[in-house]
């Protein structure tokens, strides 16, 4: 007998790929099932399980915005087994997708607010979805400030998008690279994100902040934001724990009683403060 | 609650009737020195010892290896094939009360939203016939987690041994239906309420309550005590694999050039790989932090999410741990009630 | 294993044996090439896979070949003395001798796994070897598909009671024998801790259910928690490589005679530094598992093992040593036909649930990461199905060959009762016979499979 099977992925075809950096690639994916192309909906910040058949599954955020129908995107960094196999695929190849999973960003709460969006490295992926969502619903949101950092100029993601976003009204893009990562032509900032944040010293003024990136960057950025007077329930971040099922069953992504795959990956700094340090 | 009596010597007839009605009977039996629930035809193969059967019943609801789906590669295409699951109606015979209660815990996990189709199908075909414990073994601590040698939690029928017969308590409709399969074997009977049966409860030693320790344990998250209690844990998977309530799993692909499967296999929070990120970061870097997860999941986190402990006090983990980590004692020790 | 390819070639009438040949580039490959250029005819059933050297041909590859449907495997390389990397083939000879002994013991028909030396000039020999192997495979028919199929109930080893069992001379052992050791041990530990010679003592304490459990003592006043009795079965040296014990160095570790041998292994393999531990050797009359004397104790003739910094109790050899009952079991298995043996072991392995407790308790399974945890490539299927289990149990047996010191911890803890001890012991006997080597004796000699002698026996090589 056939049973309800949430593990069965839908087939998606790679229709385009962009190499963001040496080890980071963005894939544009289209569902094989035409009905899914329109039907599939999600929230910025939600993620999926992507299958390379014969190899396995890996979790990536959906990097495109739900406002842009017909395709989804993901940006993945070359890490281990699945990401290596994914790197070997070409435009036209089929992979599997199941999702969307997780809670996503609280876009309803963010409506009408000024946003400060801080991203480091591949942490920009969920933020790209959020930014595009805001820009596509421009009137719903206030000023958008984007602070994007990477180790070196070559490691910066979404270069083209950043340029486009920066030209829009009410959007400010600030880019920074770690000291030593700059090139002679570099006109952005030089310094670690938390330091740059400290220097910019944004005022809370009812703003919401969304921070994504490597754990260490998140940690120090949260400290700076706290010092700058941002209320922890207005600081939003995402967690990354190892995952398998995405359904709250397999038992590995928990931080205390909370399953990151179901109850997360988006948490406020206030949520995190209540959880054990198991991440 | 309906009560019947069943002569012990008629158990074989009942099993035959159940089989004739298309049901598979799973009971603890011994093969090659290993006690395990297996489909059996012959009541003489049944091996019931005091205490729970070492290998828990959960393998029949949540098998160690479950193919989720398979696929074939064809040119540039992938053909996915859903896995079909075949199950007969099954009767789990002679589970212990703790085992039956454990199935209710698995239900909370696998039947809560989104329900797991594989589990759901097997579960809906299963009827649980529990045998109350006339005798406990030293590792048992069901009273400490709010159960007892006569608790009915999770059972469909509850049997109690009395000389040459069983008292049969109908706990659920599903259970009653098993009786109806051969009504002439069951005589209407009388008996005390199950909690009034002469159970070994008064003589059991391990009953210091572990039911309300969640907050306290979670408060110890950063404590050095975990180093002390968890240092000798070897990180083998025995405790989780033999635990009737542990349910963690891994998902992997196995394939060759032509085809493959995606499957889920038992996994365990004591393994270093369990939480290891691709980046090399491991939120639980050592055995003590993994052991902490085990204790907290069972006595704190699960309690918070599902309002019950994730331990039924069967004592298997403590009995079969290669280095004698006894979860009962350890929780007592952590909560400051150390008896040794 | 629903979707693993069922190879239709095997079931159809026109079945032809599939022989996979792993050959070295310099000699055998050149020999095969020469056969080709001279237009010598040989069986097309062979598939040649070229390696730089037989030294690079890992038994894993062979297991893989069988897993994927080979009917037979042939490994061939340069004659001794001709290896282009000097000794690759000599190391390989040792490894393959052990691998072959293992596969024989498990019941693989000997003809399915062959080895040969074929030089660049021996085109004729190559043709002959290949043809004779293919003929042998043709006679045997297809290998049991897939590698590890169960066929009916296994033969039983339950005849142990009718076997010429050694009497249990250990019954002479008295509780006093342990008590004296226990009190001296406490004194010693107290002294070592008080004088700071060790940071902690790892020994046995009273367990709440099991009667002995490992405990760590850091304070001299706690020394009276240490116990020593017939229940002290665990091999505590497993903790020496554990990161959670690093901060406790130098660590005093209580060892029985058998456990002490694993210290030799750890030193041999550079896993511990001599100054990181002090071996507190307790004079051991024997220990019990499930109420019976442990099998290993029946033949143990020592009270104190090879590494002992402090000796507690008598170091006189024991007068109680008898035969090891496993030897009778091994002989029984070896009397069975290959198919029966195979059936026995496949039934054993089919039970494995991949808890890896065997690895966790093994003092010599310290690898980080273990081969079973590597996923690029995935050498061992992680699923607890027969194929994965056979791979896992084969690889672990091979990795422990010549290194296993026979503490039997893996067998004690295996929750499904797989007789790992028989495999380990069988390979130990092979290592002793072939290389005159006994594990756990001398930390200054290399493990047997990490070395070779030019004149190692190679009778199994064509
Ligand atoms: C909510 C979430 C969103 C993520 N979004 C992105 C993203 O947009 N882009 C990106 O590059 N990476 C993202 N990651 C990290 C990404 O999932 C891992 O880098 C990836 O799984 C590595 O897979 P691998 O097979 O190459 O590595 P291996 O080390 O070979 O891992 C084997 C398996 O372990 C699991 N695993 C290992 N590390 C992780 C991890 N950090 N998180 C979850 N599962 C893991 C996967 O199941 C993986 O298949 C995200 C992780 C999470 C939890
Ligand atoms: S059985 Fe014991 S040693 Fe093994 S993981 Fe569990 S607690 Fe640790
Ligand atoms: S944690 Fe231990 S005692 Fe509790 S249910 Fe699991 S195996 Fe039984
Ligand atoms: S996290 Fe650990 S304790 Fe909890 S179910 Fe999984 S294996 Fe069991
Ligand atoms: S099985 Fe082999 S690789 Fe794994 S730990 Fe043991 S010796 Fe090392
Ligand atoms: S202990 Fe036994 S069941 Fe566990 S992995 Fe080893 S052989 Fe398999
Ligand atoms: S990924 Fe399985 S529970 Fe979260």
């Amino acid at each position: 007998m056939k049973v309800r099977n949430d593990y069965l992925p839908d087939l998606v075809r790679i229709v385009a790929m962009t190499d963001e950096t040496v080890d980071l690639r963005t894939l544009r994916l289209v569902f094989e099932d035409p009905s899914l192309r329109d039907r599939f909906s999600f929230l910025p910040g939600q993620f999926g399980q992507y299958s390379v058949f014969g190899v396995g599954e890996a979790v990536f955020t959906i990097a495109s915005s739900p406002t842009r129908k017909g395709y989804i995107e993901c940006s993945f960094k070359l890490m281990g087994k699945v990401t290596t196999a994914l790197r070997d695929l070409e435009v036209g190849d089929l992979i599997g997708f199941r999702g969307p999973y997780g809670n996503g960003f609280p876009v309803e709460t963010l409506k009408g607010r000024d946003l400060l969006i801080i991203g480091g490295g591949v942490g920009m992926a969920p933020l790209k979805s959020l930014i595009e969502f805001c820009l596509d619903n421009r009137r719903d949101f206030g000023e958008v400030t984007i602070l994007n950092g990477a180790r070196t100029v070559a490691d910066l993601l979404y270069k083209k998008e950043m340029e486009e976003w920066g030209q829009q009204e009410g959007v400010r893009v600030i880019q920074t690279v770690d000291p030593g990562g700059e090139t002679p032509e570099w006109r952005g900032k030089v310094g670690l994100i938390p330091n740059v944040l400290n220097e910019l010293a944004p005022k809370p003024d009812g703003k919401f902040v969304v921070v994504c990136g490597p754990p260490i960057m998140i940690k120090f950025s949260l400290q700076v934001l706290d010092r700058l007077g941002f209320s922890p329930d207005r600081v939003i971040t995402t967690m990354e724990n190892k995952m398998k099922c995405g359904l709250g069953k397999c038992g590995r992504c928990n931080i205390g009683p909370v399953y990151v795959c179901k109850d997360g990956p988006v948490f406020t700094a206030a949520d995190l403060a209540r959880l054990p340090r198991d991440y | 609650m309906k009560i019947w009596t069943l002569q012990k010597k008629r158990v074989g007839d009942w099993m035959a009737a159940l089989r004739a009605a298309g049901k598979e009977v799973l009971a603890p039996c011994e093969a090659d020195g290993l006690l395990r629930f297996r489909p059996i035809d012959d009541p003489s193969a049944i091996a019931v010892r005091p205490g729970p059967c070492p290998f828990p019943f959960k393998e029949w609801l949540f098998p160690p290896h479950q193919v989720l789906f398979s696929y074939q590669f064809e040119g540039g295409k992938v053909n996915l094939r859903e896995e079909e699951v075949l199950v007969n109606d099954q009767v789990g015979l002679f589970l212990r009360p703790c085992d039956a209660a454990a199935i209710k815990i698995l239900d909370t996990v696998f039947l809560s939203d989104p329900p797991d189709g594989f589990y759901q199908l097997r579960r809906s075909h299963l009827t649980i016939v529990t045998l109350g414990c006339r005798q406990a073994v030293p590792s048992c601590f069901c009273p400490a987690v709010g159960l007892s040698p006569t608790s009915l939690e999770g059972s469909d029928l509850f049997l109690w041994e009395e000389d040459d017969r069983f008292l049969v308590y109908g706990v659920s409709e599903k259970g009653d239906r098993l009786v109806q399969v051969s009504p002439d074997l069951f005589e209407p009977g009388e008996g005390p309420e199950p909690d009034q049966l002469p159970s070994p409860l008064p003589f059991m030693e391990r009953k210091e309550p572990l039911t309300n320790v969640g907050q306290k344990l979670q408060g110890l998250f950063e404590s050095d005590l975990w180093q002390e209690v968890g240092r000798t844990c070897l990180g083998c998977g025995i405790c989780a694999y033999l635990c009737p309530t542990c349910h963690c799993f891994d998902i992997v692909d196995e394939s060759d050039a032509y085809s493959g499967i995606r499957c889920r296999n038992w996994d365990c929070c004591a393994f270093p790989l369990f939480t290891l990120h691709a980046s090399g970061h491991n939120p639980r870097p050592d055995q003590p932090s993994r052991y902490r997860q085990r204790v907290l999941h069972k006595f704190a986190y699960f309690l918070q999410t599902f309002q019950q402990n994730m331990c039924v006090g069967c004592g298997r983990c403590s009995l079969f741990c290669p280095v004698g980590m006894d979860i009962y004692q350890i929780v007592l020790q952590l909560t400051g009630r150390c008896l040794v | 294993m629903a979707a693993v390819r069922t190879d239709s070639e095997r079931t159809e009438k026109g079945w032809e044996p599939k022989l996979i040949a792993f050959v070295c580039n310099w000699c055998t490959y050149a020999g095969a090439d020469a056969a080709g250029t001279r237009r010598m005819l040989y069986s097309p059933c062979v598939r040649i896979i070229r390696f730089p050297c037989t030294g690079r041909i890992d038994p894993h590859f062979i297991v893989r070949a069988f897993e994927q449907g080979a009917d037979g495997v042939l490994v061939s390389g340069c004659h001794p003395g001709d290896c282009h990397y000097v000794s690759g083939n000599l190391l390989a000879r040792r490894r393959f001798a052990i691998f072959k002994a293992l596969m024989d013991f498990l019941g693989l028909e000997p003809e399915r796994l062959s080895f040969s030396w074929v030089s660049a000039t021996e085109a004729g020999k190559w043709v002959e070897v290949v043809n004779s192997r293919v003929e042998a495979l043709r006679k045997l028919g297809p290998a049991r598909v897939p590698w590890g199929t169960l066929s009916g109930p296994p033969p039983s080893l339950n005849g142990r009671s009718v076997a010429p069992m050694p009497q249990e001379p250990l019954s002479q052992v008295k509780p006093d024998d342990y008590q004296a050791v226990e009190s001296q041990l406490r004194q010693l530990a107290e002294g070592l801790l008080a004088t700071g010679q060790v940071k902690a003592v790892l020994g046995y304490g009273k367990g709440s259910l099991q009667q002995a459990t490992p405990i760590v003592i850091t304070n001299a006043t706690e020394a009276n928690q240490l116990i020593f009795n017939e229940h002290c079965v665990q091999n505590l040296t497993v903790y020496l490589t554990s990161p959670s014990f690093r901060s406790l160095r130098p660590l005093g570790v209580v060892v029985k005679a058998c456990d002490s041998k694993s210290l030799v292994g750890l030193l041999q393999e550079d896993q511990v530094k001599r100054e990181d531990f002090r071996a507190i050797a307790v004079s051991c009359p024997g220990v019990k598992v499930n109420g019976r004397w442990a099998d290993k104790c029946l033949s143990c003739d020592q009270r104190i093992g090879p590494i002992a910094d402090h000796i507690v109790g008598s170091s006189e050899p024991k007068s109680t040593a008898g035969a090891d009952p496993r030897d009778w079991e091994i002989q029984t298995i070896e009397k069975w036909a290959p198919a029966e043996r195979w059936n026995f072991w496949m039934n054993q392995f089919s039970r494995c649930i991949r808890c890896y407790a065997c690895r966790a308790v093994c003092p010599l399974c310290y690898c980080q990461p273990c081969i079973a945890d590597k996923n690029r490539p995935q050498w061992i299927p992680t699923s607890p199905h027969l194929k994965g289990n056979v791979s896992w149990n084969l690889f672990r047996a091979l990795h422990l060959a010549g290194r296993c010191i026979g503490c039997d911890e893996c067998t004690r803890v295996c929750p499904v009762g797989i007789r790992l001890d028989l495999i380990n012991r069988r390979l130990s006997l092979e290592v002793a016979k072939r290389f005159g080597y006994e594990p756990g004796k001398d930390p200054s000699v290399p493990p047997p499979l990490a070395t070779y002698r030019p004149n190692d026996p190679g009778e199994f090589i064509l």
Side-chain angles (χ1 to χ4, degrees):
Chain A
M1 200 196 289
K2 281 194 180 144
V3 298
R4 174 189 172 125
N5 192 341
D6 290 304
Y7 300 101
L8 200 70
D10 290 305
L11 294 178
V12 289
R13 196 176 289 278
I14 303 174
V15 295
M17 52 171 77
T18 318
D19 281 327
E20 308 286 349
T21 73
V22 228
D23 61 357
L24 222 143
R25 179 173 283 175
T26 299
L27 301 180
R28 181 170 288 199
L29 306 164
V30 173
F31 285 101
E32 279 291 273
D33 176 352
S35 74
L36 270 175
R37 289 175 201 162
D38 292 325
R39 205 155 28 96
F40 182 76
S41 71
F42 63 98
L43 285 173
Q46 285 193 299
F47 62 90
Q49 278 280 14
Y50 299 73
S51 308
V52 180
F53 294 103
V55 182
E57 286 185 312
V59 189
F60 312 118
T61 306
I62 306 174
S64 53
S65 161
T67 47
R68 307 189 179 180
K69 290 275 178 201
Y71 66 87
I72 53 173
E73 285 179 348
C74 69
S75 300
F76 70 96
K77 188 168 167 160
L78 189 61
M79 295 297 297
K81 188 176 180 178
V82 178
T83 47
T84 305
L86 203 51
R87 266 305 275 216
D88 290 339
L89 298 183
E90 285 163 20
V91 170
D93 285 341
L94 282 174
I95 63 173
F97 174 88
R98 59 185 177 95
Y101 296 130
N103 54 358
F105 292 116
V107 283
E108 288 308 315
T109 319
L110 298 183
K111 281 195 178 151
R113 304 288 181 168
D114 288 347
L115 301 181
L116 170 56
I117 293 177
I118 309 172
V122 73
M124 264 328 283
L127 298 178
K128 171 171 173 288
S129 176
L130 180 65
I131 294 166
E132 290 182 347
F133 183 85
C134 294
L135 298 185
D136 291 349
N137 296 292
R138 195 65 198 91
R139 265 173 298 157
D140 290 345
F141 296 90
E143 299 253 314
V144 176
T145 311
I146 300 166
L147 170 56
N148 171 33
R151 262 183 328 168
T152 70
V153 175
D155 289 321
L156 283 164
L157 268 75
Y158 307 136
K159 296 190 183 73
K160 207 175 86 228
E161 286 86 346
M162 291 285 169
E163 211 160 293
E164 282 170 19
W165 298 336
Q167 283 157 9
Q168 303 228 10
E169 220 184 278
V171 181
R172 188 170 158 222
V173 175
I174 304 156
Q175 303 212 67
T176 180
V177 296
D178 291 359
E182 67 272 29
T183 53
E185 303 83 48
W186 178 243
R187 272 171 290 124
K189 298 204 174 271
V190 176
L192 299 170
I193 288 180
N195 299 345
V196 175
L197 185 61
N198 205 20
E199 179 192 316
L200 292 173
K203 297 221 164 48
D205 295 339
K207 275 197 200 70
F208 271 75
V209 190
V210 187
V211 199
C212 299
I216 188 86
M217 176 213 120
I218 294 186
K219 185 175 161 197
F220 286 106
S221 301
L222 293 189
Q223 284 174 10
V224 173
L225 288 167
D226 190 49
R227 250 197 326 269
L228 292 173
F230 283 86
S231 150
D233 52 11
R234 295 193 168 185
V235 176
I236 296 164
T237 184
T238 58
M239 284 283 113
E240 185 187 312
N241 265 23
K242 188 161 174 178
M243 291 184 183
K244 285 290 173 179
C245 68
L247 304 165
K249 309 279 181 209
C250 79
R252 82 191 56 230
C253 68
N254 72 306
I255 304 177
V258 158
Y259 281 113
V260 176
C261 68
K262 248 185 121 171
D263 311 317
V266 177
F267 296 94
T268 63
D271 294 333
L272 281 188
R274 283 190 290 267
L275 291 174
R277 277 210 56 92
D278 210 9
Y279 45 87
Chain B
M1 195 166 12
K2 287 198 201 99
I3 304 177
W4 298 271
T5 58
L6 168 68
Q7 296 301 314
K8 279 190 184 166
K9 58 175 190 277
R10 308 301 302 273
V11 168
D13 297 335
W14 186 35
M15 283 173 60
L18 292 172
R19 261 199 331 283
K23 297 178 200 294
E24 191 174 33
V25 179
L26 305 161
C29 60
E30 188 172 344
D32 258 341
L34 182 64
L35 275 169
R36 215 163 168 171
F37 284 88
R38 282 285 168 267
I40 52 166
D41 297 342
D42 175 6
S44 70
I46 299 177
V48 180
R49 312 269 156 86
C53 172
F55 211 91
F57 188 83
K58 81 171 168 189
E59 60 176 323
W60 291 99
L61 288 168
F62 170 48
H65 171 63
Q66 167 75 59
V67 177
L68 298 170
F69 61 89
S70 57
Y71 43 84
Q72 264 91 37
F73 301 114
E74 228 183 77
K77 272 179 57 197
V78 197
N79 299 319
L80 302 186
R81 213 182 60 217
E82 283 187 58
E83 183 68 7
E84 307 226 349
V85 187
L86 288 174
V87 274
N88 311 348
D89 275 349
Q90 292 181 324
V91 177
L93 187 60
F94 296 149
L95 278 79
R96 291 297 184 185
C98 55
D99 292 334
I103 292 177
K104 277 196 77 179
I105 291 178
L106 293 180
D107 288 351
T108 15
V109 175
F110 286 114
L111 300 182
S112 62
D113 191 49
D116 181 82
F118 297 94
Y119 183 92
Q120 200 171 32
L121 180 70
R122 293 195 172 93
R123 183 67 178 95
S124 65
H125 283 80
L126 174 69
T127 311
I128 300 166
V129 183
T130 306
L131 178 63
C133 302
R134 292 210 70 124
Q135 208 184 328
V137 293
S139 46
C140 297
F141 62 96
C142 53
V145 292
L147 296 166
S148 85
T150 54
S151 50
L152 303 179
E153 205 82 352
S155 301
D156 295 310
L157 282 180
F158 178 85
L159 310 187
W160 183 257
E161 239 179 315
E162 220 169 48
D163 306 320
D164 55 354
R165 58 176 199 167
F166 289 113
L167 286 181
V168 182
Y169 293 79
V171 187
S172 76
E173 241 170 69
K174 229 177 174 181
D176 294 357
R177 265 180 261 139
L178 287 195
V179 170
Q180 295 319 320
V181 168
S182 40
D184 41 325
L185 296 176
F186 294 82
E187 285 185 18
E190 273 179 23
E193 283 298 303
D195 58 4
Q196 300 300 314
L197 288 166
S199 92
L201 185 62
F203 315 104
M204 291 175 74
E205 277 174 10
R206 291 149 64 92
K207 46 186 162 200
E208 193 68 25
L210 304 182
T211 34
N212 259 322
V213 293
Q215 287 247 310
K216 184 146 193 185
L217 287 174
Q218 238 174 304
L220 291 173
F221 190 87
E222 308 275 352
S223 162
D224 290 338
L225 273 175
W226 297 107
Q227 274 296 331
E228 215 171 285
V229 302
R231 185 179 265 144
T232 50
C233 169
L234 290 168
C236 74
I238 290 183
C239 49
Y241 284 17
L242 294 190
C243 175
T245 70
C246 275
H247 50 266
C248 285
F249 57 84
D250 189 14
I251 299 179
V252 289
D253 278 41
E254 280 175 12
S255 65
D256 57 24
Y258 310 90
S259 63
I261 55 173
R262 180 158 302 151
C263 53
R264 75 169 174 214
N265 301 327
W266 284 0
D267 205 345
C268 162
C269 62
F271 293 154
L273 250 57
F274 191 70
T275 47
L276 179 69
H277 292 200
S279 62
H281 170 65
N282 196 340
R284 299 186 198 128
D286 54 10
Q287 254 3 97
S289 58
R290 292 170 206 139
Y291 194 74
R292 176 180 64 198
Q293 161 68 13
R294 178 171 181 77
V295 172
L296 291 182
H297 189 202
K298 294 200 168 285
F299 295 99
Y301 306 153
F302 202 79
L303 189 67
Q304 232 171 300
T305 321
F306 296 113
Q307 291 73 48
Q308 58 180 324
N309 279 322
M310 207 191 93
C311 168
V312 293
C314 72
R316 285 182 180 92
C317 57
S318 310
L319 196 59
F320 295 105
C321 171
V323 292
M325 310 263 301
D326 175 7
I327 201 161
Y328 173 78
Q329 276 296 335
I330 286 173
V331 174
L332 290 190
Q333 184 184 340
L334 288 164
T335 50
R337 289 176 286 171
C338 179
L339 306 178
V340 266
Chain C
M1 275 193 292
V4 173
R5 184 171 57 111
T6 49
D7 199 337
S8 59
E9 299 162 39
R10 323 177 136 272
T11 45
E12 283 163 15
K13 272 211 202 84
W15 174 80
E16 282 288 306
K18 201 183 281 166
L19 174 68
I20 306 296
F22 294 125
V23 305
C24 95
N25 180 43
W26 303 103
C27 293
T28 304
Y29 191 78
D33 209 25
T37 41
R38 278 188 238 156
R39 316 217 168 241
M40 298 170 82
L41 224 52
Y42 64 91
S43 171
C45 299
V46 62
R47 271 65 155 183
I48 298 178
I49 300 176
R50 186 155 51 141
F51 285 77
C53 173
T54 43
R56 176 66 187 92
I57 303 174
D58 198 294
H60 292 137
F61 305 156
I62 303 180
V63 172
R64 259 301 168 84
F66 280 117
E67 258 178 29
Q68 312 260 317
D71 296 304
V73 172
L74 167 67
V75 176
S76 186
C78 309
H79 285 271
D82 291 353
C83 176
H84 284 237
Y85 308 95
V86 186
S87 57
N89 57 354
L90 301 177
L91 282 160
R93 177 166 63 189
R94 283 202 160 192
R95 214 185 294 140
F96 289 130
I98 296 304
F99 182 52
K100 191 148 175 60
L102 172 64
M103 297 316 289
D104 281 354
F105 186 57
L106 299 183
L108 183 77
E109 294 94 339
E111 296 85 350
R112 295 204 188 270
L113 180 57
S114 322
F115 304 89
S116 64
W117 304 136
V118 173
S119 76
T121 57
E122 292 176 316
K125 180 170 178 189
W126 172 249
V127 169
E128 210 177 286
V129 167
V130 168
N131 286 342
S132 74
R133 291 305 89 193
V134 170
E135 266 332 291
L137 293 179
R138 212 184 289 283
K139 279 207 195 90
L140 283 175
R144 299 176 192 98
V145 208
W147 168 256
T149 317
L150 288 178
S151 49
S156 163
L157 266 183
N158 287 347
R160 219 162 121 167
S161 50
V162 297
M165 285 284 285
Q167 292 164 358
E168 289 203 1
L170 283 168
S171 51
Q172 301 159 17
V173 173
K174 304 276 172 311
D176 295 356
D177 298 349
Y178 299 95
Q179 267 157 28
V181 173
E182 184 179 275
S183 54
Q184 279 183 50
L185 170 65
R186 291 175 178 178
Q187 271 172 26
L188 176 75
E190 193 180 338
L192 289 176
L193 285 165
T195 55
Q197 292 181 65
V198 296
K199 226 187 233 159
V201 171
L202 166 62
Y204 303 96
K206 208 177 134 5
S208 56
L209 285 171
Q210 298 174 15
Q211 308 189 40
T213 187
I215 56 167
V216 177
I217 278 177
T218 48
N219 200 319
T221 56
E222 300 162 340
N224 60 357
Q225 291 177 21
L226 290 170
I227 61 166
F228 186 64
N229 59 38
E230 63 190 27
H231 305 295
C232 295
V233 60
Q234 295 99 350
N235 181 348
L236 303 179
T237 64
V238 66
Y239 293 114
L240 285 182
T241 47
S242 155
S244 304
F245 280 73
R246 230 164 256 161
S247 60
L248 302 177
R249 290 169 180 169
L251 177 70
V253 54
V254 174
V255 289
K256 307 185 290 294
C258 46
D259 309 335
S260 173
K261 294 186 196 164
S262 41
L263 292 173
V264 174
L266 291 171
L267 287 168
Q268 254 174 331
E269 296 170 18
D270 266 340
Q271 294 305 312
V272 288
K273 292 212 194 65
R274 193 64 189 83
E275 62 272 21
D276 288 341
F277 70 90
R278 306 209 44 105
I280 304 175
V282 284
S283 176
C284 175
V287 289
K288 286 186 173 170
V289 175
N290 297 332
R292 270 183 35 184
W293 291 109
D295 284 342
K296 63 179 173 183
C297 300
L298 299 179
S299 61
C300 171
D301 57 2
Q302 294 298 322
R303 282 174 201 277
I304 299 294
I307 307 243
D309 297 308
H310 307 278
I311 292 180
V312 184
S314 150
S315 52
E316 286 286 296
K318 279 191 252 184
S319 57
T320 51
D324 190 311
R326 271 89 50 97
D327 291 349
W328 174 82
E329 290 174 308
I330 289 172
Q331 283 157 18
T332 307
I333 291 177
E334 288 186 322
K335 276 183 219 141
W336 295 338
E340 281 180 300
R341 259 180 268 162
W342 189 253
N343 198 14
F344 174 82
W345 285 113
M346 290 310 117
N347 271 281
Q348 290 270 310
F349 295 155
S350 71
R351 292 157 32 164
C352 176
I353 49 172
R354 307 298 280 285
C355 64
Y356 299 120
C358 43
R359 172 180 76 184
V361 289
C362 176
L364 292 158
C365 265
Y366 50 69
C367 309
Q368 289 298 338
C370 167
I371 176 120
D373 292 341
K374 286 191 185 163
N375 67 10
R376 280 186 300 158
Q378 188 91 49
W379 281 114
I380 302 179
T382 53
S383 299
H385 50 40
L386 195 51
K387 181 172 150 192
N389 296 352
V390 172
S391 274
W392 161 242
N393 283 284
L394 279 184
F395 288 155
R396 185 164 181 278
L398 280 173
H399 288 191
L400 271 307
R403 300 171 60 234
C404 166
I405 48 86
C407 65
D408 288 344
E409 281 287 90
C410 50
T411 314
R412 175 179 72 87
V413 305
C414 176
V416 292
I418 298 176
R419 292 301 303 275
L420 304 167
D421 57 337
L422 297 179
I423 298 176
N424 293 338
R425 184 156 174 89
R426 176 65 189 81
L427 293 185
S428 284
L429 294 172
E430 190 71 22
V431 166
K433 184 182 90 188
R434 284 191 172 266
F435 316 130
Y437 176 89
E438 196 185 311
K441 226 175 174 175
D442 181 355
S444 66
V445 303
L449 295 188
T451 184
Y452 63 90
R453 286 200 208 101
N455 57 348
D456 281 330
E459 81 296 343
F460 63 98
I461 301 172
L462 302 171

